[in-house]
Amino acid sequence: MADENAPDLASGLRHTVTRLYLTLRRNSPISELSAAQASGLASLVDYGPMRMGEFAERESIRMPTATALIDGLHRGGYVSREPDPDDRRAVIIAATDTGSEIVSDIRTRRDDSVTRALQTLSDDHRAALAAALPALRELQTRMELS
């Protein structure tokens, strides 16, 4: 049986999560990278080296866009490009140490921003957010699979 409140919940979650993300980006901007570059670099840090096609699919972008994005990151020293040992026509892209450090720094700054905001909430609100984390993670997983 479908939950009749699901559309309202979906709308409220979408709006709140989007606004929360945009506020987080504003409170801890990434001056070194565009939002697309930061997302791509974070994917390489999280999922490891991959072929360009996998990268494009993971980032939900077309291959020419992926190539341009990786070219910019490569020029900045944030990613490496190596021939694929299994197919010399393909390349494997990976985050460099510099790229990994940038992602780590960004995550630390954003965690610090969230920590400061959490400290201003009531104990009940912090507990509610902690209790919601497993459900939010499961929602993310299911949305990534669909």
Side-chain angles (χ1 to χ4, degrees):
M1 183 167 157
D3 181 357
E4 64 188 46
N5 295 321
D8 291 338
L9 177 59
S11 181
L13 273 171
R14 178 204 41 80
H15 176 77
T16 302
V17 168
T18 299
R19 298 306 310 165
L20 181 61
Y21 173 70
L22 293 173
T23 300
L24 187 58
R25 282 184 49 204
R26 258 192 322 276
N27 288 347
S28 51
I30 308 164
S31 58
E32 306 90 346
L33 305 172
S34 70
Q37 287 175 321
S39 174
L41 186 56
S43 286
L44 289 171
V45 168
D46 291 344
Y47 300 104
M50 64 186 77
R51 290 174 118 187
M52 287 291 286
E54 180 184 349
F55 175 79
E57 185 176 318
R58 185 169 296 284
E59 291 298 298
S60 299
I61 56 179
R62 295 180 318 123
M63 198 62 156
T65 304
T67 300
L69 193 145
I70 292 299
D71 285 348
L73 289 170
H74 185 257
R75 278 191 303 277
Y78 304 119
V79 301
S80 63
R81 297 174 70 146
E82 302 294 331
D84 185 336
D86 297 328
D87 181 353
R88 302 294 281 173
R89 298 168 295 169
V91 296
I92 300 289
I93 53 176
T96 62
D97 289 344
T98 301
S100 294
E101 288 170 16
I102 287 267
V103 170
S104 178
D105 179 58
I106 291 164
R107 289 176 174 169
T108 297
R109 287 186 296 170
R110 289 185 173 173
D111 285 352
D112 291 347
S113 178
V114 174
T115 298
R116 285 189 303 275
L118 284 169
Q119 290 170 343
T120 69
L121 297 179
S122 69
D123 290 344
D124 287 346
H125 280 145
R126 281 194 305 275
L129 288 169
L133 275 178
L136 289 169
R137 286 185 182 124
E138 182 63 20
L139 178 63
Q140 175 194 355
T141 297
R142 289 177 187 234
M143 289 179 71
E144 286 176 350
L145 296 175
S146 61

